PDB file of all heavy atoms in Angstrom:
ATOM      1  N   LYS A 256      45.146 -32.318  30.273  1.00 98.00           N
ATOM      2  CA  LYS A 256      46.452 -31.842  29.838  1.00 98.00           C
ATOM      3  C   LYS A 256      47.144 -31.078  30.962  1.00 98.00           C
ATOM      4  O   LYS A 256      46.555 -30.211  31.593  1.00 98.00           O
ATOM      5  CB  LYS A 256      46.304 -30.960  28.602  1.00 98.00           C
ATOM      6  CG  LYS A 256      47.586 -30.790  27.804  1.00 98.00           C
ATOM      7  CD  LYS A 256      47.308 -30.193  26.431  1.00 98.00           C
ATOM      8  CE  LYS A 256      48.544 -30.201  25.564  1.00 98.00           C
ATOM      9  NZ  LYS A 256      48.263 -29.701  24.196  1.00 98.00           N
ATOM     10  N   GLY A 257      48.399 -31.432  31.205  1.00 98.00           N
ATOM     11  CA  GLY A 257      49.154 -30.824  32.277  1.00 98.00           C
ATOM     12  C   GLY A 257      49.065 -31.573  33.585  1.00 98.00           C
ATOM     13  O   GLY A 257      49.877 -31.327  34.491  1.00 98.00           O
ATOM     14  N   ARG A 258      48.098 -32.468  33.713  1.00 98.00           N
ATOM     15  CA  ARG A 258      47.926 -33.256  34.927  1.00 98.00           C
ATOM     16  C   ARG A 258      48.232 -34.728  34.721  1.00 98.00           C
ATOM     17  O   ARG A 258      48.736 -35.392  35.626  1.00 98.00           O
ATOM     18  CB  ARG A 258      46.499 -33.113  35.469  1.00 98.00           C
ATOM     19  CG  ARG A 258      46.111 -31.691  35.835  1.00 98.00           C
ATOM     20  CD  ARG A 258      44.757 -31.649  36.541  1.00 98.00           C
ATOM     21  NE  ARG A 258      43.672 -32.136  35.680  1.00 98.00           N
ATOM     22  CZ  ARG A 258      42.896 -33.185  35.963  1.00 98.00           C
ATOM     23  NH1 ARG A 258      43.089 -33.868  37.086  1.00 98.00           N
ATOM     24  NH2 ARG A 258      41.935 -33.554  35.129  1.00 98.00           N
ATOM     25  N   PHE A 259      47.906 -35.251  33.544  1.00 98.00           N
ATOM     26  CA  PHE A 259      48.114 -36.661  33.236  1.00 98.00           C
ATOM     27  C   PHE A 259      49.275 -36.820  32.268  1.00 98.00           C
ATOM     28  O   PHE A 259      49.551 -35.929  31.457  1.00 98.00           O
ATOM     29  CB  PHE A 259      46.866 -37.275  32.603  1.00 98.00           C
ATOM     30  CG  PHE A 259      45.675 -37.398  33.517  1.00 98.00           C
ATOM     31  CD1 PHE A 259      45.666 -36.830  34.776  1.00 98.00           C
ATOM     32  CD2 PHE A 259      44.554 -38.096  33.099  1.00 98.00           C
ATOM     33  CE1 PHE A 259      44.570 -36.936  35.613  1.00 98.00           C
ATOM     34  CE2 PHE A 259      43.447 -38.220  33.919  1.00 98.00           C
ATOM     35  CZ  PHE A 259      43.455 -37.637  35.178  1.00 98.00           C
ATOM     36  N   ALA A 260      49.940 -37.963  32.329  1.00 98.00           N
ATOM     37  CA  ALA A 260      51.019 -38.275  31.401  1.00 98.00           C
ATOM     38  C   ALA A 260      50.940 -39.738  30.997  1.00 98.00           C
ATOM     39  O   ALA A 260      50.873 -40.619  31.854  1.00 98.00           O
ATOM     40  CB  ALA A 260      52.375 -37.975  32.026  1.00 98.00           C
ATOM     41  N   ILE A 261      50.942 -39.994  29.694  1.00 98.00           N
ATOM     42  CA  ILE A 261      50.880 -41.346  29.177  1.00 98.00           C
ATOM     43  C   ILE A 261      52.261 -41.769  28.702  1.00 98.00           C
ATOM     44  O   ILE A 261      53.035 -40.948  28.200  1.00 98.00           O
ATOM     45  CB  ILE A 261      49.842 -41.447  28.029  1.00 98.00           C
ATOM     46  CG1 ILE A 261      49.598 -42.904  27.638  1.00 98.00           C
ATOM     47  CG2 ILE A 261      50.271 -40.618  26.825  1.00 98.00           C
ATOM     48  CD1 ILE A 261      48.425 -43.086  26.674  1.00 98.00           C
ATOM     49  N   SER A 262      52.586 -43.054  28.870  1.00 96.00           N
ATOM     50  CA  SER A 262      53.887 -43.561  28.463  1.00 96.00           C
ATOM     51  C   SER A 262      53.781 -45.026  28.077  1.00 96.00           C
ATOM     52  O   SER A 262      52.812 -45.696  28.428  1.00 96.00           O
ATOM     53  CB  SER A 262      54.921 -43.382  29.582  1.00 96.00           C
ATOM     54  OG  SER A 262      54.544 -44.106  30.741  1.00 96.00           O
ATOM     55  N   ARG A 263      54.791 -45.518  27.351  1.00 93.00           N
ATOM     56  CA  ARG A 263      54.862 -46.919  26.943  1.00 93.00           C
ATOM     57  C   ARG A 263      56.204 -47.497  27.352  1.00 93.00           C
ATOM     58  O   ARG A 263      57.194 -46.782  27.495  1.00 93.00           O
ATOM     59  CB  ARG A 263      54.672 -47.059  25.432  1.00 93.00           C
ATOM     60  CG  ARG A 263      53.364 -46.521  24.909  1.00 93.00           C
ATOM     61  CD  ARG A 263      53.229 -46.709  23.410  1.00 93.00           C
ATOM     62  NE  ARG A 263      52.965 -48.102  23.062  1.00 93.00           N
ATOM     63  CZ  ARG A 263      52.335 -48.490  21.951  1.00 93.00           C
ATOM     64  NH1 ARG A 263      51.905 -47.582  21.079  1.00 93.00           N
ATOM     65  NH2 ARG A 263      52.154 -49.783  21.708  1.00 93.00           N
ATOM     66  N   ASP A 264      56.237 -48.820  27.526  1.00 87.00           N
ATOM     67  CA  ASP A 264      57.482 -49.484  27.853  1.00 87.00           C
ATOM     68  C   ASP A 264      58.299 -49.696  26.581  1.00 87.00           C
ATOM     69  O   ASP A 264      57.878 -49.357  25.479  1.00 87.00           O
ATOM     70  CB  ASP A 264      57.226 -50.801  28.583  1.00 87.00           C
ATOM     71  CG  ASP A 264      56.612 -51.867  27.689  1.00 87.00           C
ATOM     72  OD1 ASP A 264      56.183 -51.546  26.550  1.00 87.00           O
ATOM     73  OD2 ASP A 264      56.554 -53.029  28.117  1.00 87.00           O
ATOM     74  N   GLY A 265      59.485 -50.298  26.735  1.00 78.00           N
ATOM     75  CA  GLY A 265      60.370 -50.505  25.596  1.00 78.00           C
ATOM     76  C   GLY A 265      59.791 -51.399  24.525  1.00 78.00           C
ATOM     77  O   GLY A 265      60.008 -51.172  23.327  1.00 78.00           O
ATOM     78  N   ALA A 266      59.044 -52.417  24.933  1.00 77.00           N
ATOM     79  CA  ALA A 266      58.424 -53.338  23.985  1.00 77.00           C
ATOM     80  C   ALA A 266      57.171 -52.750  23.351  1.00 77.00           C
ATOM     81  O   ALA A 266      56.637 -53.325  22.410  1.00 77.00           O
ATOM     82  CB  ALA A 266      58.093 -54.661  24.669  1.00 77.00           C
ATOM     83  N   LYS A 267      56.698 -51.644  23.876  1.00 75.00           N
ATOM     84  CA  LYS A 267      55.518 -50.937  23.375  1.00 75.00           C
ATOM     85  C   LYS A 267      54.252 -51.771  23.451  1.00 75.00           C
ATOM     86  O   LYS A 267      53.341 -51.605  22.651  1.00 75.00           O
ATOM     87  CB  LYS A 267      55.761 -50.419  21.953  1.00 75.00           C
ATOM     88  CG  LYS A 267      56.909 -49.434  21.839  1.00 75.00           C
ATOM     89  CD  LYS A 267      57.116 -48.970  20.417  1.00 75.00           C
ATOM     90  CE  LYS A 267      58.189 -47.894  20.338  1.00 75.00           C
ATOM     91  NZ  LYS A 267      59.500 -48.391  20.797  1.00 75.00           N
ATOM     92  N   THR A 268      54.203 -52.660  24.419  1.00 84.00           N
ATOM     93  CA  THR A 268      53.017 -53.476  24.647  1.00 84.00           C
ATOM     94  C   THR A 268      52.390 -53.195  26.002  1.00 84.00           C
ATOM     95  O   THR A 268      51.406 -53.829  26.368  1.00 84.00           O
ATOM     96  CB  THR A 268      53.346 -54.969  24.537  1.00 84.00           C
ATOM     97  OG1 THR A 268      54.420 -55.294  25.419  1.00 84.00           O
ATOM     98  CG2 THR A 268      53.748 -55.325  23.100  1.00 84.00           C
ATOM     99  N   THR A 269      52.953 -52.265  26.735  1.00 92.00           N
ATOM    100  CA  THR A 269      52.409 -51.842  28.007  1.00 92.00           C
ATOM    101  C   THR A 269      52.305 -50.328  28.023  1.00 92.00           C
ATOM    102  O   THR A 269      53.249 -49.634  27.642  1.00 92.00           O
ATOM    103  CB  THR A 269      53.279 -52.314  29.186  1.00 92.00           C
ATOM    104  OG1 THR A 269      53.371 -53.736  29.194  1.00 92.00           O
ATOM    105  CG2 THR A 269      52.687 -51.848  30.507  1.00 92.00           C
ATOM    106  N   VAL A 270      51.176 -49.826  28.447  1.00 95.00           N
ATOM    107  CA  VAL A 270      50.968 -48.387  28.510  1.00 95.00           C
ATOM    108  C   VAL A 270      50.557 -48.010  29.925  1.00 95.00           C
ATOM    109  O   VAL A 270      49.814 -48.739  30.583  1.00 95.00           O
ATOM    110  CB  VAL A 270      49.908 -47.924  27.480  1.00 95.00           C
ATOM    111  CG1 VAL A 270      48.550 -48.545  27.778  1.00 95.00           C
ATOM    112  CG2 VAL A 270      49.810 -46.411  27.445  1.00 95.00           C
ATOM    113  N   SER A 271      51.071 -46.875  30.390  1.00 97.00           N
ATOM    114  CA  SER A 271      50.759 -46.386  31.721  1.00 97.00           C
ATOM    115  C   SER A 271      50.168 -44.993  31.634  1.00 97.00           C
ATOM    116  O   SER A 271      50.404 -44.258  30.673  1.00 97.00           O
ATOM    117  CB  SER A 271      52.009 -46.367  32.601  1.00 97.00           C
ATOM    118  OG  SER A 271      52.532 -47.666  32.785  1.00 97.00           O
ATOM    119  N   LEU A 272      49.401 -44.644  32.640  1.00 98.00           N
ATOM    120  CA  LEU A 272      48.821 -43.309  32.740  1.00 98.00           C
ATOM    121  C   LEU A 272      49.073 -42.790  34.144  1.00 98.00           C
ATOM    122  O   LEU A 272      48.479 -43.284  35.102  1.00 98.00           O
ATOM    123  CB  LEU A 272      47.328 -43.328  32.444  1.00 98.00           C
ATOM    124  CG  LEU A 272      46.640 -41.965  32.434  1.00 98.00           C
ATOM    125  CD1 LEU A 272      47.108 -41.151  31.229  1.00 98.00           C
ATOM    126  CD2 LEU A 272      45.128 -42.122  32.418  1.00 98.00           C
ATOM    127  N   GLN A 273      49.970 -41.826  34.253  1.00 98.00           N
ATOM    128  CA  GLN A 273      50.242 -41.172  35.526  1.00 98.00           C
ATOM    129  C   GLN A 273      49.259 -40.027  35.689  1.00 98.00           C
ATOM    130  O   GLN A 273      49.207 -39.112  34.858  1.00 98.00           O
ATOM    131  CB  GLN A 273      51.680 -40.656  35.582  1.00 98.00           C
ATOM    132  CG  GLN A 273      52.025 -39.901  36.852  1.00 98.00           C
ATOM    133  CD  GLN A 273      51.981 -40.777  38.086  1.00 98.00           C
ATOM    134  OE1 GLN A 273      51.406 -40.405  39.102  1.00 98.00           O
ATOM    135  NE2 GLN A 273      52.571 -41.954  38.006  1.00 98.00           N
ATOM    136  N   MET A 274      48.464 -40.078  36.741  1.00 98.00           N
ATOM    137  CA  MET A 274      47.427 -39.084  36.981  1.00 98.00           C
ATOM    138  C   MET A 274      47.765 -38.302  38.245  1.00 98.00           C
ATOM    139  O   MET A 274      47.826 -38.871  39.331  1.00 98.00           O
ATOM    140  CB  MET A 274      46.059 -39.747  37.116  1.00 98.00           C
ATOM    141  CG  MET A 274      45.673 -40.614  35.925  1.00 98.00           C
ATOM    142  SD  MET A 274      43.993 -41.278  36.051  1.00 98.00           S
ATOM    143  CE  MET A 274      44.202 -42.371  37.455  1.00 98.00           C
ATOM    144  N   ASN A 275      47.980 -37.015  38.093  1.00 98.00           N
ATOM    145  CA  ASN A 275      48.294 -36.136  39.204  1.00 98.00           C
ATOM    146  C   ASN A 275      47.203 -35.083  39.364  1.00 98.00           C
ATOM    147  O   ASN A 275      46.419 -34.833  38.454  1.00 98.00           O
ATOM    148  CB  ASN A 275      49.646 -35.450  38.993  1.00 98.00           C
ATOM    149  CG  ASN A 275      50.796 -36.419  38.843  1.00 98.00           C
ATOM    150  OD1 ASN A 275      51.632 -36.280  37.946  1.00 98.00           O
ATOM    151  ND2 ASN A 275      50.854 -37.412  39.721  1.00 98.00           N
ATOM    152  N   SER A 276      47.176 -34.464  40.534  1.00 98.00           N
ATOM    153  CA  SER A 276      46.207 -33.407  40.821  1.00 98.00           C
ATOM    154  C   SER A 276      44.792 -33.837  40.463  1.00 98.00           C
ATOM    155  O   SER A 276      44.050 -33.116  39.795  1.00 98.00           O
ATOM    156  CB  SER A 276      46.585 -32.123  40.073  1.00 98.00           C
ATOM    157  OG  SER A 276      47.881 -31.687  40.430  1.00 98.00           O
ATOM    158  N   LEU A 277      44.422 -35.012  40.917  1.00 98.00           N
ATOM    159  CA  LEU A 277      43.129 -35.581  40.562  1.00 98.00           C
ATOM    160  C   LEU A 277      41.977 -34.752  41.115  1.00 98.00           C
ATOM    161  O   LEU A 277      42.055 -34.197  42.208  1.00 98.00           O
ATOM    162  CB  LEU A 277      43.028 -37.017  41.051  1.00 98.00           C
ATOM    163  CG  LEU A 277      43.812 -38.028  40.207  1.00 98.00           C
ATOM    164  CD1 LEU A 277      44.017 -39.327  40.968  1.00 98.00           C
ATOM    165  CD2 LEU A 277      43.077 -38.284  38.893  1.00 98.00           C
ATOM    166  N   LYS A 278      40.910 -34.686  40.338  1.00 98.00           N
ATOM    167  CA  LYS A 278      39.706 -33.955  40.687  1.00 98.00           C
ATOM    168  C   LYS A 278      38.521 -34.910  40.747  1.00 98.00           C
ATOM    169  O   LYS A 278      38.541 -35.961  40.108  1.00 98.00           O
ATOM    170  CB  LYS A 278      39.431 -32.866  39.639  1.00 98.00           C
ATOM    171  CG  LYS A 278      40.579 -31.911  39.406  1.00 98.00           C
ATOM    172  CD  LYS A 278      40.266 -30.969  38.248  1.00 98.00           C
ATOM    173  CE  LYS A 278      41.413 -30.023  37.982  1.00 98.00           C
ATOM    174  NZ  LYS A 278      41.121 -29.119  36.839  1.00 98.00           N
ATOM    175  N   PRO A 279      37.474 -34.559  41.499  1.00 98.00           N
ATOM    176  CA  PRO A 279      36.292 -35.426  41.548  1.00 98.00           C
ATOM    177  C   PRO A 279      35.725 -35.734  40.169  1.00 98.00           C
ATOM    178  O   PRO A 279      35.214 -36.841  39.952  1.00 98.00           O
ATOM    179  CB  PRO A 279      35.302 -34.617  42.393  1.00 98.00           C
ATOM    180  CG  PRO A 279      36.171 -33.814  43.296  1.00 98.00           C
ATOM    181  CD  PRO A 279      37.374 -33.436  42.446  1.00 98.00           C
ATOM    182  N   GLU A 280      35.817 -34.795  39.244  1.00 97.00           N
ATOM    183  CA  GLU A 280      35.302 -35.029  37.902  1.00 97.00           C
ATOM    184  C   GLU A 280      36.120 -36.032  37.101  1.00 97.00           C
ATOM    185  O   GLU A 280      35.723 -36.415  36.002  1.00 97.00           O
ATOM    186  CB  GLU A 280      35.184 -33.706  37.120  1.00 97.00           C
ATOM    187  CG  GLU A 280      36.446 -32.868  37.157  1.00 97.00           C
ATOM    188  CD  GLU A 280      36.384 -31.776  38.214  1.00 97.00           C
ATOM    189  OE1 GLU A 280      35.975 -32.075  39.349  1.00 97.00           O
ATOM    190  OE2 GLU A 280      36.745 -30.618  37.901  1.00 97.00           O
ATOM    191  N   ASP A 281      37.259 -36.461  37.632  1.00 98.00           N
ATOM    192  CA  ASP A 281      38.038 -37.518  37.003  1.00 98.00           C
ATOM    193  C   ASP A 281      37.489 -38.902  37.325  1.00 98.00           C
ATOM    194  O   ASP A 281      37.952 -39.894  36.762  1.00 98.00           O
ATOM    195  CB  ASP A 281      39.508 -37.445  37.437  1.00 98.00           C
ATOM    196  CG  ASP A 281      40.211 -36.191  36.942  1.00 98.00           C
ATOM    197  OD1 ASP A 281      39.977 -35.788  35.785  1.00 98.00           O
ATOM    198  OD2 ASP A 281      41.003 -35.623  37.715  1.00 98.00           O
ATOM    199  N   THR A 282      36.536 -38.971  38.232  1.00 98.00           N
ATOM    200  CA  THR A 282      35.946 -40.248  38.616  1.00 98.00           C
ATOM    201  C   THR A 282      35.287 -40.911  37.418  1.00 98.00           C
ATOM    202  O   THR A 282      34.422 -40.321  36.764  1.00 98.00           O
ATOM    203  CB  THR A 282      34.920 -40.060  39.740  1.00 98.00           C
ATOM    204  OG1 THR A 282      35.582 -39.571  40.913  1.00 98.00           O
ATOM    205  CG2 THR A 282      34.229 -41.375  40.067  1.00 98.00           C
ATOM    206  N   ALA A 283      35.692 -42.137  37.124  1.00 98.00           N
ATOM    207  CA  ALA A 283      35.169 -42.860  35.974  1.00 98.00           C
ATOM    208  C   ALA A 283      35.795 -44.241  35.925  1.00 98.00           C
ATOM    209  O   ALA A 283      36.740 -44.537  36.660  1.00 98.00           O
ATOM    210  CB  ALA A 283      35.473 -42.111  34.670  1.00 98.00           C
ATOM    211  N   VAL A 284      35.264 -45.077  35.052  1.00 98.00           N
ATOM    212  CA  VAL A 284      35.930 -46.317  34.708  1.00 98.00           C
ATOM    213  C   VAL A 284      36.883 -46.006  33.569  1.00 98.00           C
ATOM    214  O   VAL A 284      36.475 -45.454  32.540  1.00 98.00           O
ATOM    215  CB  VAL A 284      34.937 -47.419  34.290  1.00 98.00           C
ATOM    216  CG1 VAL A 284      35.679 -48.673  33.837  1.00 98.00           C
ATOM    217  CG2 VAL A 284      34.005 -47.755  35.447  1.00 98.00           C
ATOM    218  N   TYR A 285      38.142 -46.336  33.744  1.00 98.00           N
ATOM    219  CA  TYR A 285      39.162 -46.066  32.750  1.00 98.00           C
ATOM    220  C   TYR A 285      39.449 -47.326  31.950  1.00 98.00           C
ATOM    221  O   TYR A 285      39.704 -48.392  32.514  1.00 98.00           O
ATOM    222  CB  TYR A 285      40.443 -45.557  33.418  1.00 98.00           C
ATOM    223  CG  TYR A 285      40.332 -44.122  33.873  1.00 98.00           C
ATOM    224  CD1 TYR A 285      39.507 -43.776  34.936  1.00 98.00           C
ATOM    225  CD2 TYR A 285      41.036 -43.107  33.224  1.00 98.00           C
ATOM    226  CE1 TYR A 285      39.374 -42.463  35.344  1.00 98.00           C
ATOM    227  CE2 TYR A 285      40.919 -41.795  33.627  1.00 98.00           C
ATOM    228  CZ  TYR A 285      40.090 -41.477  34.685  1.00 98.00           C
ATOM    229  OH  TYR A 285      39.970 -40.168  35.085  1.00 98.00           O
ATOM    230  N   TYR A 286      39.405 -47.181  30.627  1.00 98.00           N
ATOM    231  CA  TYR A 286      39.594 -48.303  29.720  1.00 98.00           C
ATOM    232  C   TYR A 286      40.860 -48.131  28.893  1.00 98.00           C
ATOM    233  O   TYR A 286      41.145 -47.041  28.400  1.00 98.00           O
ATOM    234  CB  TYR A 286      38.409 -48.434  28.758  1.00 98.00           C
ATOM    235  CG  TYR A 286      37.095 -48.742  29.424  1.00 98.00           C
ATOM    236  CD1 TYR A 286      36.251 -47.722  29.847  1.00 98.00           C
ATOM    237  CD2 TYR A 286      36.693 -50.059  29.632  1.00 98.00           C
ATOM    238  CE1 TYR A 286      35.042 -47.997  30.451  1.00 98.00           C
ATOM    239  CE2 TYR A 286      35.481 -50.341  30.236  1.00 98.00           C
ATOM    240  CZ  TYR A 286      34.662 -49.303  30.639  1.00 98.00           C
ATOM    241  OH  TYR A 286      33.457 -49.585  31.234  1.00 98.00           O
ATOM    242  N   CYS A 287      41.583 -49.214  28.727  1.00 97.00           N
ATOM    243  CA  CYS A 287      42.745 -49.243  27.852  1.00 97.00           C
ATOM    244  C   CYS A 287      42.308 -49.677  26.457  1.00 97.00           C
ATOM    245  O   CYS A 287      41.454 -50.554  26.304  1.00 97.00           O
ATOM    246  CB  CYS A 287      43.786 -50.213  28.401  1.00 97.00           C
ATOM    247  SG  CYS A 287      45.276 -50.369  27.399  1.00 97.00           S
ATOM    248  N   LYS A 288      42.892 -49.053  25.442  1.00 97.00           N
ATOM    249  CA  LYS A 288      42.567 -49.369  24.055  1.00 97.00           C
ATOM    250  C   LYS A 288      43.836 -49.562  23.232  1.00 97.00           C
ATOM    251  O   LYS A 288      44.810 -48.835  23.400  1.00 97.00           O
ATOM    252  CB  LYS A 288      41.724 -48.250  23.442  1.00 97.00           C
ATOM    253  CG  LYS A 288      41.432 -48.418  21.956  1.00 97.00           C
ATOM    254  CD  LYS A 288      40.762 -47.181  21.399  1.00 97.00           C
ATOM    255  CE  LYS A 288      40.589 -47.255  19.899  1.00 97.00           C
ATOM    256  NZ  LYS A 288      39.978 -46.025  19.352  1.00 97.00           N
ATOM    257  N   LEU A 289      43.812 -50.542  22.351  1.00 95.00           N
ATOM    258  CA  LEU A 289      44.869 -50.740  21.378  1.00 95.00           C
ATOM    259  C   LEU A 289      44.251 -50.706  19.990  1.00 95.00           C
ATOM    260  O   LEU A 289      43.307 -51.449  19.708  1.00 95.00           O
ATOM    261  CB  LEU A 289      45.604 -52.065  21.604  1.00 95.00           C
ATOM    262  CG  LEU A 289      46.813 -52.349  20.701  1.00 95.00           C
ATOM    263  CD1 LEU A 289      47.820 -53.243  21.431  1.00 95.00           C
ATOM    264  CD2 LEU A 289      46.399 -53.015  19.389  1.00 95.00           C
ATOM    265  N   HIS A 290      44.767 -49.831  19.133  1.00 94.00           N
ATOM    266  CA  HIS A 290      44.306 -49.722  17.752  1.00 94.00           C
ATOM    267  C   HIS A 290      45.407 -50.249  16.843  1.00 94.00           C
ATOM    268  O   HIS A 290      46.494 -49.664  16.782  1.00 94.00           O
ATOM    269  CB  HIS A 290      43.968 -48.282  17.402  1.00 94.00           C
ATOM    270  CG  HIS A 290      43.637 -48.084  15.957  1.00 94.00           C
ATOM    271  ND1 HIS A 290      42.507 -48.611  15.379  1.00 94.00           N
ATOM    272  CD2 HIS A 290      44.305 -47.437  14.969  1.00 94.00           C
ATOM    273  CE1 HIS A 290      42.479 -48.288  14.100  1.00 94.00           C
ATOM    274  NE2 HIS A 290      43.555 -47.578  13.828  1.00 94.00           N
TER     275      HIS A 290
END
């Protein structure tokens, strides 16, 4: 919180994750999910 920002496009079928001020503990495989 405060470092990452999630957003969707107009069609709401694409999602983005803007990641700022990255830390070593952010290292991981990132998965997209649709519910």
Side-chain angles (χ1 to χ4, degrees):
K256 199 166 188 176
R258 300 188 297 120
F259 292 8
I261 190 171
S262 61
R263 301 181 74 154
D264 70 349
K267 299 179 175 62
T268 55
T269 300
V270 63
S271 297
L272 184 69
Q273 177 65 227
M274 304 185 293
N275 301 134
S276 302
L277 284 163
K278 305 174 181 179
E280 50 262 46
D281 294 320
T282 296
V284 176
Y285 285 70
Y286 296 90
C287 179
K288 175 188 174 182
L289 184 151
H290 174 67

